[in-house]
């Protein structure tokens, strides 16, 4: 039996989970939503949604996978055989998401490499906002099939970086996150200092922090806050299952989940401070929108060329901004691949490195669709379906499976097993997992459907219906069918190749070593050889 990879310390796990949670969503979606929903009011509702739903679900996923020591698919089978397809759906949805997330990551790299161009654009709004379009040649519609060379190159770099970071699973992830979690915070602080020292910054900060309570009456505030909590914590994406499965037996899940969630929120607020102070300082406050792509690639460049009168200084700030986005995005991007890889290799007893390489290669090829001139349009469609539809359904199913068909007391016990100062109360977890989360998520789903079929007449954006069917509905169908197709394949393998599935039960789950020990190496080995071996995920 292969030995399972494990985090080298509690701190490493927390960093890796924060790295996954903190991503592009914090930098460009959170400030945009705050702008849309009365600043401080959004912050308050976001906090409520995080406590009511986000943190309990995060604890649930981490504790279940820590107990089974398996990725999403096998962990859901452990909850109940019939729930395995939910694990498959989460994994397949993550597989689709990473195909386009990698391209957004590539665009960020492309902008970073071209940020020197801002030097010659001081005060030139049009030039700044066209840079992204010039570089990517994107049409924004389902038109154009050529792939610009630089975009292709950056996509290759993106996939190369992703693979490099997860090549040895928890062990290599543990090393990179020490850099990728702190670097964006430092870069954000530099930008916050620049932003807050500009005249006009106060107006921006007032808009971010002073609540406008009249915004509470708008149901879309709640819808957006719930969606953002869900997206930001990287739950229901197979990721937290994988990361939880590398935890040692002595991990304090109750406290760790709180640290992860509040750090994620703190970085969102810091990004908000950067965005609002900079936009206030450049007189562009009303340009902040909730469309992330447009904020980062179209609106923010206009602010960059107004930061100072010195071209090269603006270019330097531009480079800092895109470098910040690179360091934010990379650990989210590789966490998705890691989630998928862990789930699949656990299921089929495959070598994780082989699975990781295969996923990077297959997703890399699929991601080429998003590098074409029509890429932004495809991305918009796929993003809408995977996040506004699939993710929510997976969330509801997971809550119902664990909350109503499994003994939640066991999950609660697992969460608090090593709790020291902070213990998660049972009523909190039970109320959230059984009732509050599924009800809120169903509400969110119904709302999205009403918007799609009511207001928009069944069409998302102005894309042709065939494209929405192909990249939206068909992809959703495949995501939810994947578990059933996989079951057929597994049964066939059982009959013809003697494939044997692992026995998986909560009470007989394997114990792990203490998280602080480097448990990757067999206990017999000397400390020195243990350290050497810990570089590999599975031997
Ligand atoms: N949580 C990440 C963010 O806020 C998003 C993410 C999406 C992470 C998909 C992993 C997978 O940007």
């Amino acid at each position: 039996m292969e030995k399972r990879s494990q985090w080298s310390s509690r701190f490493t796990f927390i960093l890796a989970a924060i790295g996954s949670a903190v991503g592009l969503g914090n930098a460009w979606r959170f400030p945009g939503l705050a702008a849309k929903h009365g600043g401080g009011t959004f912050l308050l509702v976001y906090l409520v949604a995080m406590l009511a739903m986000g943190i309990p679900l995060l604890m649930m996923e981490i504790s279940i996978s820590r107990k089974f020591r398996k990725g999403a698919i096998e962990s859901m089978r452990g909850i109940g055989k019939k729930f395995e397809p939910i694990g498959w759906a989460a994994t397949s949805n993550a597989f689709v998401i990473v195909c386009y997330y990698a391209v957004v990551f590539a665009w960020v790299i492309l902008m970073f490499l071209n940020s020197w161009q801002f030097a010659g654009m001081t005060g030139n709004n049009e030039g700044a906002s066209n840079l992204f379009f010039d570089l990517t040649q994107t049409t924004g519609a389902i038109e154009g099939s050529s792939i610009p060379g630089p975009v292709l190159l950056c996509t290759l770099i993106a996939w190369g970086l992703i693979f490099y970071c997860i090549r040895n699973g928890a062990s290599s992830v543990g090393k990179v996150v020490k850099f990728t979690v702190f670097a964006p915070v430092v870069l954000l602080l530099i930008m916050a200092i620049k932003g807050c020292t500009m005249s006009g910054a106060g107006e921006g900060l007032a808009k971010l922090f002073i609540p406008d309570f009249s915004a509470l009456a708008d149901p879309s505030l709640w819808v957006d806050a719930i969606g953002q909590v869900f997206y930001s914590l990287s739950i229901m994406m197979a990721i937290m299952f994988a990361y939880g499965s590398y935890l040692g037996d002595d991990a304090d899940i109750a406290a760790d989940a709180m640290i992860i969630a509040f750090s994620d929120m703190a970085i969102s607020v810091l990004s908000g401070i950067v965005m609002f102070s900079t936009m206030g300082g450049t007189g562009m406050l009303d340009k902040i929108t909730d469309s992330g792509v447009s904020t980062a690639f179209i609106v923010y460049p206009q602010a960059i060329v107004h930061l100072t009168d010195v071209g090269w200084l603006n270019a330097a700030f531009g480079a800092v901004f895109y470098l910040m986005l690179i360091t934010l995005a990379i650990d989210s991007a590789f966490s998705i691949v890691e989630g998928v890889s862990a789930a699949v290799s656990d299921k089929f007893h495959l070598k994780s490195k082989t699975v990781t390489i295969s996923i990077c290669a297959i997703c890399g090829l699929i991601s080429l669709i998003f590098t074409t001139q029509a890429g932004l349009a495809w991305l918009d469609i796929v993003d809408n379906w995977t996040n506004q539809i699939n993710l929510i359904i997976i969330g509801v199913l997971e809550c119902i499976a664990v909350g109503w068909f499994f003994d939640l007391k066991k999950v609660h016990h697992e969460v608090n097993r090593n709790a020291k100062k902070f213990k998660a109360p049972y009523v909190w977890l039970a109320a959230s997992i059984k009732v509050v989360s599924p009800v809120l998520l169903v509400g969110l789903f119904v709302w999205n459907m009403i918007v799609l079929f009511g207001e928009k007449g069944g069409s998302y954006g102005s894309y042709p219906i065939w494209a929405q069917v192909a990249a939206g509905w068909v992809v959703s169908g495949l995501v939810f069918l994947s578990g059933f197709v996989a079951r057929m394949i597994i049964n066939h393998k059982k009959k013809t190749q003697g494939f044997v599935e692992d026995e998986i039960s909560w009470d007989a789950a394997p114990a792990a070593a203490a998280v602080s020990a480097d448990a990757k190496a067999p206990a017999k080995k000397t400390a020195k050889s243990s350290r050497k071996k810990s570089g590999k995920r599975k031997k």
Side-chain angles (χ1 to χ4, degrees):
M1 198 64 190
E2 286 183 308
K3 198 152 182 75
R4 193 176 192 75
S5 156
Q6 215 170 293
W7 299 114
S8 58
S9 67
R10 173 186 184 192
F11 183 58
T12 312
F13 162 68
I14 294 178
L15 280 187
I18 294 177
S20 172
V22 177
L24 298 173
N26 301 57
W28 62 33
R29 240 179 91 77
F30 185 92
L33 291 176
K36 181 174 160 196
H37 296 297
T41 322
F42 181 74
L43 301 192
L44 286 176
V45 175
Y46 183 86
L47 186 65
V48 172
M50 203 168 76
L51 290 170
M53 190 175 94
I55 297 179
L57 298 189
L58 184 61
M59 289 177 177
M60 172 182 95
E61 291 201 339
I62 297 176
S63 59
I64 290 175
S65 56
R66 193 267 299 262
K67 182 70 187 177
F68 290 128
R69 306 191 43 72
K70 297 280 185 211
I73 300 172
E74 287 292 81
S75 285
M76 284 315 289
R77 186 164 70 93
I79 292 300
K81 282 212 166 62
K82 53 183 173 304
F83 301 128
E84 185 181 328
I86 304 174
W88 276 100
T91 308
S92 316
N93 199 43
F95 179 92
V96 179
I97 290 176
V98 74
C99 294
Y100 71 79
Y101 203 86
V103 176
V104 182
F105 179 34
W107 289 340
V108 174
I109 299 176
L110 185 67
M111 290 296 278
F112 169 71
L113 296 177
N114 282 280
S115 43
W116 57 271
Q117 296 205 29
F118 291 121
M121 292 182 183
T122 312
N124 176 0
N125 270 353
E126 215 182 297
S129 55
N130 280 340
L131 183 62
F132 173 72
F133 293 103
D134 292 344
L135 291 169
T136 60
Q137 302 280 312
T138 187
T139 57
I142 305 287
E143 266 164 37
S145 55
S146 69
I147 300 178
V151 180
L152 186 62
L153 184 68
C154 289
T155 307
L156 278 175
I157 298 177
W159 279 108
L161 286 173
I162 291 174
F163 177 70
Y164 178 78
C165 296
I166 51 169
R167 69 196 183 287
N168 291 323
S171 159
S172 50
V173 166
K175 288 186 192 120
V176 257
V177 289
K178 294 200 173 99
F179 171 73
T180 56
V181 173
F182 292 111
V185 177
V186 173
L187 296 171
L188 277 168
L189 285 173
I190 296 175
M191 294 169 66
I193 293 170
K194 169 67 191 151
C196 292
T197 49
M198 294 173 85
S199 63
E203 198 193 328
L205 292 177
K207 200 170 167 194
L208 174 63
F209 287 113
I210 298 178
D212 164 12
F213 287 110
S214 66
L216 279 176
D218 179 0
S220 74
L221 159 66
W222 297 84
V223 168
D224 283 342
I226 297 167
Q228 177 66 7
V229 163
F230 216 56
Y231 181 75
S232 196
L233 288 179
S234 298
I235 43 182
M236 307 299 151
M237 297 217 202
I239 300 170
M240 292 302 167
F241 276 113
Y243 281 10
S245 76
Y246 303 142
L247 270 178
D249 257 354
D250 60 348
D252 179 353
I253 297 176
D256 292 358
M258 298 293 277
I259 297 175
I260 296 163
F262 280 100
S263 309
D264 181 44
M265 181 168 179
I267 297 180
S268 289
V269 174
L270 179 58
S271 310
I273 294 175
V274 169
M275 194 57 78
F276 279 74
S277 62
T278 313
M279 291 301 170
T282 50
M284 295 173 37
L285 259 185
D286 52 335
K287 288 202 179 173
I288 307 179
T289 69
D290 60 347
S291 152
V293 170
S294 122
T295 306
F297 298 127
I298 302 159
V299 177
Y300 199 82
Q302 297 178 33
I304 292 174
V305 296
H306 282 101
L307 282 175
T308 70
D309 295 331
V310 189
W312 67 265
L313 199 55
N314 293 344
F317 277 113
V320 167
F321 176 70
Y322 289 107
L323 185 61
M324 183 273 291
L325 292 184
I326 290 177
T327 51
L328 272 189
I330 186 163
D331 37 20
S332 299
F334 68 61
S335 70
I336 326 180
V337 183
E338 185 57 32
V340 178
S341 170
V344 174
S345 53
D346 283 343
K347 178 76 228 179
F348 294 108
H349 312 136
L350 297 168
K351 219 173 149 227
S352 25
K353 196 157 190 168
T354 318
V355 177
T356 304
I357 295 177
S358 314
I359 295 172
C360 288
I362 300 170
C363 292
L365 276 178
I366 300 176
S367 66
L368 291 182
I369 300 170
F370 304 106
T371 60
T372 63
Q373 289 171 288
L376 183 59
W378 287 119
L379 190 147
D380 191 21
I381 299 175
V382 178
D383 178 59
N384 185 63
W385 262 263
T386 47
N387 286 300
Q388 308 291 333
I389 297 179
N390 305 358
L391 201 63
I392 300 174
I393 300 178
I394 295 166
V396 175
L397 295 175
E398 213 176 285
C399 290
I400 293 177
V402 180
W404 293 96
F405 293 91
F406 190 73
D407 185 356
L408 210 50
K409 286 237 159 58
K410 289 183 175 174
V411 177
H412 174 247
H413 176 260
E414 189 64 16
V415 168
N416 284 338
R417 181 138 63 94
N418 300 303
K420 287 173 196 84
K421 289 200 189 90
F422 169 74
K423 280 195 166 61
Y426 179 71
V427 279
W428 179 33
L429 290 189
S432 171
I433 297 171
K434 280 182 183 240
V435 187
V436 178
S437 302
V439 167
L440 287 180
L441 289 171
V442 167
L444 185 57
F445 183 75
V446 171
W447 172 274
N448 287 344
M449 289 300 115
I450 292 175
V451 171
L452 180 61
F453 287 102
E455 269 170 42
K456 297 184 177 164
S459 175
Y460 175 72
S462 47
Y463 308 113
I465 292 294
W466 68 266
Q468 300 183 36
V469 171
W473 296 114
V474 171
V475 170
S476 288
L478 291 175
V479 161
F480 288 103
L481 276 180
S482 61
F484 301 97
V485 175
R487 179 48 46 202
M488 277 162 34
I489 297 174
I490 293 163
N491 286 345
H492 180 74
K493 270 170 82 83
K494 275 179 160 173
K495 267 199 214 123
T496 56
Q497 298 167 19
F499 175 75
V500 185
E501 283 183 285
D502 284 340
E503 277 303 318
I504 184 157
S505 102
W506 186 275
D507 300 315
V515 74
S516 46
D518 199 350
K520 286 197 62 314
K524 282 182 256 138
K525 299 262 161 78
T526 60
K528 199 169 156 210
S529 70
S530 306
R531 246 174 276 127
K532 250 194 231 151
K533 292 254 160 131
S534 70
K536 295 194 192 96
R537 174 146 51 141
K538 273 182 182 173
K539 296 182 277 76

